[in-house]
Amino acid sequence: MDWLDHRHSHRLVTTMVSQTNLDSPIGTLEGVVPSQSSVTASYYTDTRTSASLAYVGDGWVRGSLSRLTYEIPAWTSQRVLGTYHATQDPAERHNGQWHTTLELHSMLHAMSRDVPKPMTLGKGASALAATKQILTAAKRPYLAPKAKDAKLKEPLVLESGTDQLKRLYALSKACDNRLDVDPHGRILVNPYQAPYAKAPVLSIDLGDPRGVALDGISRSSNWLEMPNRAYVSYKYSAEVTKNGKKTTEQREIVEYVDATGSRSPSAVGWVITDVHSLSEMSPQTAARAQQLAREYLQNDSYEHVEWELDTTYLPIWEGDVVELVVRDGPEQYRGKRKCLVKNLELELQHFTMRLTLKEVRPYDDEKEEE
């Protein structure tokens, strides 16, 4: 299918699904108002995706899940956008009809509302087995065919008052897994893959005459705020002997490293410091502190660049990597830009996408920002 070819019609299909069985459709929701409906997806949020669905009438089966599907009749093709549970259903009556707007959230969000009893995992316990145990107990279908496992090095207490989603994130962090949700509402547990290591799934060329990228694009970056000095401090207690008596002294190791070349403080004209106050450091030496400062400065040497633009519908989602082709503007921002789909907003009348694309970096350590 040529997604760059606009010579087709499309439509939104909304299917009501049993809240206790993701494979059991109830029927089609009639009276949907696409112009007042939308879908959002964000890579750095803990529940990943949400939606807003407006409809007229009383066709919604109360409590049912909503599965939103993008359909191209001419291609006999469809793509499920997501399966959501409703958290709010405000309604108002005018022109003789009831108008309702469902606030929809992902199945990960459903886990955030489940607060169970405390759970204690012993040293050596499988973090992945505990993840699966939580999902099974919550009756949430999941897929974890390639998920990584880790044995806990220390006992882990999942305290009372901690919801199931926070527990899942704690366990996933221990395994270096990433939580997500698939279009059919199943929770995904996959090994974390850095965006830089992903291959682009498609290219968005700003100069393409077919007009996939609609007119208008914005760019932002942190280049004026990029640190040119990395500063490391480490405070610790040391036992010393003075006059035959043992006492404890408070000591501090402080080291910093400056950038060179065009980013050096002398070339920039001022110092922009990235401060790291460490609670642990091994070995406790100035050489180690300077090594860490050098590593922090290396990570700071990559400019953070983001682009915002509108496109026609494309088969991409949060977490995908795309290639953005920029053909004009400042030289340092032209060419092929490898970008993560950070945020996506899809309006459901014309299926226009608002994309926030974050250029990926080799030293990107932002696994999660939630």
Side-chain angles (χ1 to χ4, degrees):
M1 292 178 288
D2 183 5
W3 292 99
L4 306 184
D5 182 357
H6 303 163
R7 294 172 298 178
H8 57 258
S9 61
H10 43 214
R11 66 183 181 185
L12 173 68
V13 177
T14 302
T15 305
M16 295 176 289
V17 178
S18 167
Q19 59 265 48
T20 58
N21 185 349
L22 293 175
D23 297 321
S24 178
I26 298 173
T28 300
L29 176 60
E30 303 294 344
V32 170
V33 185
S35 62
Q36 299 175 27
S37 304
S38 62
V39 171
T40 62
S42 300
Y43 182 78
Y44 292 114
T45 59
D46 56 2
T47 57
R48 309 309 186 202
T49 180
S50 60
S52 178
L53 184 67
Y55 71 93
V56 177
D58 57 0
W60 182 55
V61 176
R62 193 171 189 181
S64 64
L65 304 180
S66 298
R67 179 166 294 157
L68 309 182
T69 302
Y70 172 84
E71 189 172 274
I72 302 176
W75 293 356
T76 61
S77 172
Q78 59 179 215
R79 286 178 62 89
V80 178
L81 301 173
T83 302
Y84 303 91
H85 76 102
T87 59
Q88 297 288 334
D89 62 343
E92 59 182 37
R93 189 175 187 276
H94 53 84
N95 296 326
Q97 291 181 307
W98 281 99
H99 297 249
T100 304
T101 300
L102 298 177
E103 293 183 15
L104 303 175
H105 292 274
S106 73
M107 295 301 105
L108 282 172
H109 180 273
M111 296 296 294
S112 72
R113 310 179 91 182
D114 183 354
V115 181
K117 294 181 179 179
M119 181 179 183
T120 301
L121 302 173
K123 180 180 179 180
S126 164
L128 181 59
T131 297
K132 294 179 178 180
Q133 178 183 340
I134 289 174
L135 290 169
T136 300
K139 296 181 173 58
R140 290 265 63 87
Y142 66 89
L143 296 173
K146 298 181 180 179
K148 296 166 65 176
D149 195 7
K151 304 299 181 183
L152 298 179
K153 296 180 180 179
E154 299 293 339
L156 177 63
V157 179
L158 303 174
E159 299 178 352
S160 59
T162 304
D163 63 62
Q164 295 287 44
L165 186 59
K166 290 180 180 177
R167 294 183 176 191
L168 290 175
Y169 270 105
L171 294 168
S172 294
K173 183 178 181 180
C175 300
D176 199 24
N177 289 325
R178 175 176 164 84
L179 293 173
D180 220 311
V181 59
D182 79 354
H184 287 82
R186 295 168 295 196
I187 291 176
L188 303 177
V189 187
N190 289 316
Y192 170 77
Q193 184 180 18
Y196 186 78
K198 295 181 179 181
V201 297
L202 56 79
S203 178
I204 302 174
D205 189 340
L206 298 183
D208 191 326
R210 289 175 289 184
V212 171
L214 305 180
D215 185 41
I217 185 170
S218 64
R219 182 194 70 242
S220 62
S221 87
N222 72 329
W223 77 273
L224 287 172
E225 301 174 338
M226 289 172 61
N228 52 17
R229 172 176 292 174
Y231 178 103
V232 171
S233 69
Y234 172 63
K235 294 180 180 181
Y236 64 103
S237 301
E239 191 175 84
V240 297
T241 301
K242 289 184 177 181
N243 301 323
K245 295 183 179 180
K246 292 184 177 181
T247 61
T248 300
E249 288 185 350
Q250 297 299 313
R251 296 182 177 179
E252 183 177 15
I253 298 173
V254 176
E255 293 290 334
Y256 68 85
V257 174
D258 284 347
T260 58
S262 62
R263 291 183 57 246
S264 67
S266 59
V268 172
W270 55 80
V271 176
I272 305 174
T273 308
D274 182 15
V275 178
H276 297 266
S277 300
L278 306 183
S279 58
E280 295 182 4
M281 187 176 72
S282 180
Q284 298 174 348
T285 64
R288 176 58 176 162
Q290 191 166 76
Q291 178 189 0
L292 289 172
R294 192 173 295 109
E295 292 174 2
Y296 292 134
L297 188 63
Q298 173 69 27
N299 192 43
D300 291 334
S301 67
Y302 291 90
E303 181 181 354
H304 294 252
V305 181
E306 290 191 359
W307 305 83
E308 287 194 3
L309 69 157
D310 294 323
T311 70
T312 57
Y313 178 80
L314 295 171
I316 55 178
W317 200 244
E318 55 86 9
D320 286 336
V321 168
V322 300
E323 182 181 76
L324 179 68
V325 183
V326 182
R327 298 187 177 275
D328 58 10
E331 183 178 355
Q332 61 267 36
Y333 298 113
R334 295 181 203 162
K336 297 178 178 179
R337 326 292 296 185
K338 188 176 181 181
C339 300
L340 170 76
V341 179
K342 178 182 176 181
N343 298 325
L344 177 155
E345 297 178 19
L346 176 64
E347 58 87 12
L348 299 179
Q349 181 178 18
H350 304 103
F351 290 95
T352 298
M353 285 181 154
R354 180 69 174 175
L355 300 177
T356 301
L357 304 180
K358 173 187 173 183
E359 291 194 10
V360 298
R361 309 173 299 140
Y363 289 84
D364 198 338
D365 58 357
E366 299 174 301
K367 290 186 179 181
E368 307 290 347
E369 290 183 349
E370 64 271 2

